[in-house]
Amino acid sequence: MDRRTFITKAGIGAGAAAAASTLAAPAIAQENEKISWRMTSSFPKSLDTIYGGGETIAKYVREATDGNFDIQVFAAGEIVPGLQAADAVASGTVEMCHTVPYYYVGKDVTYAMGAAIPFGLNARQTNAWHYYGGGIDLMNKFYATQGMVGFPAGNTGVQMGGWYRKEINTLEDLKGLKLRIAGLAGQIMSKLGVVPQQIAGGDIYPSLEKGVIDGAEWVGPYDDEKLGFVKVAPFYYYPGWWEGGPTVATFINKDKYDGLPAKYQSLLRTASQAANNDMLASYDYKNPQAIRRLVDQGAQLRAFSQEIMQASYDAAKEVYADVSSTNASFKEIYDNQLAFKKDAYLWAQLSEYTFDTFMMIQQRNGTL
Amino acid sequence: MDRRTFITKAGIGAGAAAAASTLAAPAIAQENEKISWRMTSSFPKSLDTIYGGGETIAKYVREATDGNFDIQVFAAGEIVPGLQAADAVASGTVEMCHTVPYYYVGKDVTYAMGAAIPFGLNARQTNAWHYYGGGIDLMNKFYATQGMVGFPAGNTGVQMGGWYRKEINTLEDLKGLKLRIAGLAGQIMSKLGVVPQQIAGGDIYPSLEKGVIDGAEWVGPYDDEKLGFVKVAPFYYYPGWWEGGPTVATFINKDKYDGLPAKYQSLLRTASQAANNDMLASYDYKNPQAIRRLVDQGAQLRAFSQEIMQASYDAAKEVYADVSSTNASFKEIYDNQLAFKKDAYLWAQLSEYTFDTFMMIQQRNGTL
């Protein structure tokens, strides 16, 4: 019942209503404070999946407060370049952003633990670790040192391994390969002779077309389709072992977050968790249809060979040992996650794996 | 800024404040209306995972409204028996419940589509279908005929196949087997000679101990451990093919929901979606540890044989054809979900499956 309804229903005249309303104030002072915030996204509007996650949070918050907590979402580049979203939050240029924590490994590799590390957890395990394994608290101990608060707010599921102009069969094929790939995955691949390239989304297509690069990883079928890679680099590899279930996050300026009413803090967390669920559902619905279309357009699906997978895995373990020896923050979080990972991949072999395997056999047999 | 802060900061005396507040009312009439609701859960408090989902929704809603939208959660049996939760909502005895839609297949088998059907979707696919494949809208078209509104609000992940006093290897072993199992799964199993038994949670243990039944399915490691089945029926089978990723739902009395302010309707949906994510994370974190403990306690892990899986699958298809021929509501929703399922299990074979498989091999090799 809003105040106007109360007044009307109670049949109180204007003067009496004013008095009643004043007297009642201490008990019913529960307005939703008017607050306007800006959220900068690391993604372009064309990616409705991942950019849409930021809009989802804003929508849920706006609706639950009758529009009083109003978060305006800006696409990458509108007010802040996509990969500087966290900096803009830390400095207070914007109150919050929607981004992938591993974009900031250049500042501190600990950021990667908030998103995904190569050969890490899958999407469900990532959520289990964040919400129940202490992940959110551990990451926020770190984010606090960066002047921010952060929460999971999206997941793409495991990504694809990228588009290549020719087949990649052996470790020899990786030597000198110019691949658009960043962060820890680039570091790992460089151990195998790959030459990692940093190229913005919009420049990938022409670079592949001209042969400036030999391959490029982006996200998965639905997002990749929009960039048209299939036309210039048709070999589409899987799995994207560097992103088993990357978390897209909200970063919020710590002072701004601490200054929010408790109810708005809670609502932001709840909306972020709901958006986390929503984005994964979006990808899981759209990717199956997109992969069919891509195959129709000429995509050649290829699995990375076991040789390449194993060498990459071994290189990843070396990188984690190196980083852990010099970065205590990374080590603390990595070790915590690893303990869970060992149990999680044991359990995953029982019901989930045998159920999925059986159903996939039915799919292959055409008996679904 | 709440009203008291505004008044204090503005330095306005009581009389002036009363006038200002009255004048401003049309623009700032944004109180969070005081509403008290009751939610009856189908689960006992001892199951912190699944019962906890109802508490999570109530907590998120309470926090986001400064306690003004207050939902009190009651465990099964406190005010309504666990399996009559939906009836209590439909009749208006309580405003809402937290339950599994398939509990009500006795009224209409269409309810099962809101939770899980045997050999259906896994948890992620279920969410994809609900939130992006039209599942929520289709189910609500049906729920409306039952006087309710419903939203996904939890998921257990694929369950285990139950506890058995002796090994079940062949179809012959199923003949005459007295198994505690309900709903569509019971109907399917009865085609294979199983004699389904309906037994409440608390009575399962003594029934197994005395040999009144030969086996019983419950949920998965973490919940099952609490009932102590390992001591009396140590053969623990997987997968629970009748529940690939069952959705736990909130049902809300339709008139009560329609009468809510729009902001509270939205908040209930958002809190339910966040709780959906939260419960799966809870299970995914707790089950891996529980399965280790159960094995230490003597659980003998066994996979259902392919012979049993395939015969069960074929029987399930027969049941769906039968039900579809007489229940148009079930058929419409089943057909819609089936179209997505065919694409989903094709896509799942690529990145997700190869990534998980590779990581499981590392787990087995002890190289995680």
Side-chain angles (χ1 to χ4, degrees):
Chain A
M1 193 186 285
D2 69 20
R3 192 191 305 159
R4 282 166 293 177
T5 312
F6 170 79
I7 292 173
T8 308
K9 288 199 178 165
I12 305 174
S21 150
T22 307
L23 288 171
I28 60 157
Q30 289 130 0
E31 285 93 354
N32 282 318
E33 297 84 337
K34 193 95 189 161
I35 294 181
S36 291
W37 271 19
R38 300 196 300 173
M39 175 200 290
T40 190
S41 170
S42 288
F43 319 104
K45 283 192 176 145
S46 57
L47 300 181
D48 60 289
T49 40
I50 197 163
Y51 170 80
E55 289 282 13
T56 299
I57 295 169
K59 174 174 182 281
Y60 289 172
V61 168
R62 200 179 294 126
E63 286 181 355
T65 61
D66 267 340
N68 286 294
F69 189 177
D70 184 48
I71 301 170
Q72 196 180 350
V73 185
F74 295 89
E78 285 190 335
I79 49 173
V80 175
L83 301 182
Q84 292 168 32
D87 310 68
V89 171
S91 68
T93 303
V94 294
E95 288 84 4
M96 65 188 294
C97 72
H98 191 239
T99 189
V100 189
Y102 59 43
Y103 286 160
Y104 311 97
V105 291
K107 292 180 198 298
D108 190 320
V109 72
T110 309
Y111 273 104
M113 297 301 305
I117 58 171
F119 299 105
L121 305 173
N122 66 25
R124 281 176 52 180
Q125 293 165 345
T126 296
N127 283 332
W129 178 73
H130 271 301
Y131 293 103
Y132 283 85
I136 288 177
D137 290 343
L138 283 167
M139 288 312 304
N140 273 293
K141 197 170 96 175
F142 168 72
Y143 294 148
T145 69
Q146 312 288 302
M148 301 190 296
V149 170
F151 302 109
N155 200 301
T156 65
V158 68
Q159 301 195 355
M160 288 288 281
W163 300 86
Y164 298 79
R165 287 162 54 95
K166 58 186 175 64
E167 286 191 80
I168 309 294
N169 296 310
T170 65
L171 284 171
E172 203 52 44
D173 294 337
L174 294 180
K175 302 274 192 293
L177 191 83
K178 281 172 288 182
L179 180 63
R180 188 264 180 194
I181 191 166
L184 278 170
Q187 201 178 330
I188 291 162
M189 284 220 172
S190 68
K191 282 182 174 265
L192 306 177
V194 168
V195 187
Q197 310 283 312
Q198 307 268 12
I199 298 175
D203 298 330
I204 302 175
Y205 185 94
S207 302
L208 275 174
E209 189 176 28
K210 292 175 198 151
V212 175
I213 56 175
D214 305 303
E217 71 94 31
W218 185 237
V219 183
Y222 183 77
D223 291 343
D224 291 5
E225 184 185 17
K226 297 183 176 174
L227 297 187
F229 302 141
V230 64
K231 293 197 282 283
V232 287
F235 296 101
Y236 197 22
Y237 274 82
Y238 61 89
W241 47 259
W242 45 94
E243 306 188 69
T247 294
V248 182
T250 44
F251 285 153
I252 307 165
N253 178 283
K254 193 166 185 322
D255 290 340
K256 298 280 184 185
Y257 181 80
D258 291 343
L260 280 180
K263 68 179 166 208
Y264 281 179
Q265 290 179 343
S266 173
L267 181 58
L268 267 183
R269 291 193 303 268
T270 298
S272 295
Q273 187 169 15
N276 188 7
N277 175 283
D278 200 75
M279 189 193 293
L280 188 60
S282 171
Y283 274 110
D284 285 345
Y285 188 74
K286 294 167 183 169
N287 277 330
Q289 299 167 346
I291 195 76
R292 280 194 184 278
R293 290 193 300 268
L294 286 168
V295 169
D296 287 346
Q297 292 162 27
Q300 303 284 318
L301 298 173
R302 296 286 185 278
F304 283 124
S305 65
Q306 285 303 301
E307 180 192 27
I308 287 175
M309 290 290 286
Q310 193 64 50
S312 303
Y313 183 79
D314 295 343
K317 297 274 282 188
E318 286 172 27
V319 167
Y320 300 144
D322 286 352
V323 174
S324 291
S325 71
T326 58
N327 186 322
S329 163
F330 176 89
K331 183 180 188 320
E332 178 190 11
I333 303 175
Y334 177 83
D335 288 350
N336 174 284
Q337 189 183 79
L338 181 60
F340 169 62
K341 184 176 176 177
K342 289 178 179 181
D343 281 348
Y345 277 117
L346 172 62
W347 161 239
Q349 291 170 47
L350 304 179
S351 258
E352 293 289 348
Y353 195 73
T354 51
F355 179 81
D356 282 344
T357 302
F358 182 82
M359 296 306 292
M360 288 171 191
I361 291 168
Q362 303 305 320
Q363 191 280 330
R364 291 199 171 199
N365 290 346
T367 51
L368 276 180
Chain B
M1 195 187 282
D2 69 19
R3 191 190 307 160
R4 281 166 294 177
T5 312
F6 169 79
I7 291 173
T8 308
K9 289 200 177 163
I12 305 174
S21 150
T22 306
L23 288 171
I28 61 158
Q30 289 131 1
E31 285 92 352
N32 282 317
E33 297 84 339
K34 193 93 189 163
I35 293 181
S36 291
W37 272 20
R38 300 195 301 172
M39 176 201 289
T40 190
S41 170
S42 287
F43 318 104
K45 284 192 177 147
S46 57
L47 299 181
D48 59 289
T49 40
I50 197 163
Y51 170 81
E55 290 281 13
T56 298
I57 295 168
K59 175 175 181 282
Y60 289 171
V61 167
R62 200 180 294 124
E63 286 181 356
T65 62
D66 267 341
N68 286 297
F69 189 177
D70 183 49
I71 301 169
Q72 194 179 354
V73 185
F74 295 89
E78 284 190 335
I79 50 173
V80 175
L83 301 182
Q84 292 169 33
D87 310 70
V89 170
S91 68
T93 303
V94 293
E95 288 84 3
M96 65 189 294
C97 72
H98 192 239
T99 189
V100 189
Y102 59 43
Y103 287 160
Y104 311 97
V105 291
K107 292 180 199 299
D108 190 320
V109 73
T110 309
Y111 273 104
M113 297 300 306
I117 59 171
F119 298 105
L121 305 173
N122 66 25
R124 280 176 50 179
Q125 293 165 345
T126 295
N127 283 332
W129 177 73
H130 272 299
Y131 293 103
Y132 283 86
I136 289 177
D137 290 342
L138 283 166
M139 288 312 303
N140 274 295
K141 197 170 97 175
F142 168 72
Y143 294 148
T145 69
Q146 311 288 301
M148 301 190 294
V149 170
F151 302 108
N155 200 302
T156 65
V158 68
Q159 301 195 356
M160 288 287 281
W163 300 85
Y164 298 79
R165 287 162 54 93
K166 58 185 176 62
E167 287 191 80
I168 309 295
N169 296 310
T170 66
L171 284 170
E172 202 53 42
D173 294 337
L174 294 180
K175 300 276 192 295
L177 192 82
K178 282 173 289 183
L179 180 63
R180 189 265 180 193
I181 191 166
L184 278 170
Q187 202 177 329
I188 290 162
M189 285 221 174
S190 70
K191 283 181 173 264
L192 306 178
V194 167
V195 187
Q197 310 283 310
Q198 307 268 10
I199 298 175
D203 298 330
I204 301 175
Y205 185 95
S207 302
L208 276 174
E209 189 176 28
K210 292 174 196 152
V212 175
I213 55 175
D214 304 302
E217 71 94 30
W218 185 238
V219 184
Y222 184 77
D223 292 343
D224 291 5
E225 184 185 18
K226 297 183 175 174
L227 297 187
F229 300 141
V230 63
K231 294 196 282 285
V232 287
F235 296 100
Y236 197 22
Y237 274 82
Y238 61 89
W241 48 258
W242 44 94
E243 304 187 72
T247 293
V248 182
T250 44
F251 285 153
I252 307 165
N253 179 283
K254 191 166 187 321
D255 291 339
K256 297 280 183 184
Y257 181 80
D258 291 342
L260 279 181
K263 69 180 166 205
Y264 283 178
Q265 290 180 343
S266 173
L267 181 58
L268 266 183
R269 292 193 302 268
T270 298
S272 295
Q273 187 169 15
N276 189 7
N277 174 282
D278 201 75
M279 189 192 293
L280 188 60
S282 171
Y283 274 110
D284 285 344
Y285 188 74
K286 293 166 183 171
N287 277 331
Q289 300 168 345
I291 195 76
R292 280 194 185 277
R293 290 194 299 269
L294 286 168
V295 168
D296 287 346
Q297 292 162 29
Q300 304 283 317
L301 298 174
R302 295 287 186 277
F304 283 124
S305 65
Q306 284 303 302
E307 179 192 27
I308 288 175
M309 290 289 286
Q310 193 64 49
S312 302
Y313 183 79
D314 295 342
K317 297 273 283 188
E318 287 172 25
V319 168
Y320 300 144
D322 286 352
V323 174
S324 292
S325 70
T326 59
N327 186 323
S329 164
F330 176 90
K331 182 180 189 317
E332 178 191 9
I333 303 175
Y334 177 84
D335 289 349
N336 174 285
Q337 189 184 78
L338 181 59
F340 169 62
K341 184 176 177 176
K342 289 179 179 179
D343 281 348
Y345 278 116
L346 172 61
W347 160 240
Q349 292 170 45
L350 304 179
S351 257
E352 293 289 347
Y353 196 72
T354 51
F355 179 81
D356 281 346
T357 303
F358 181 82
M359 297 306 292
M360 288 171 190
I361 291 168
Q362 302 304 319
Q363 191 281 330
R364 291 199 171 197
N365 290 347
T367 51
L368 275 181

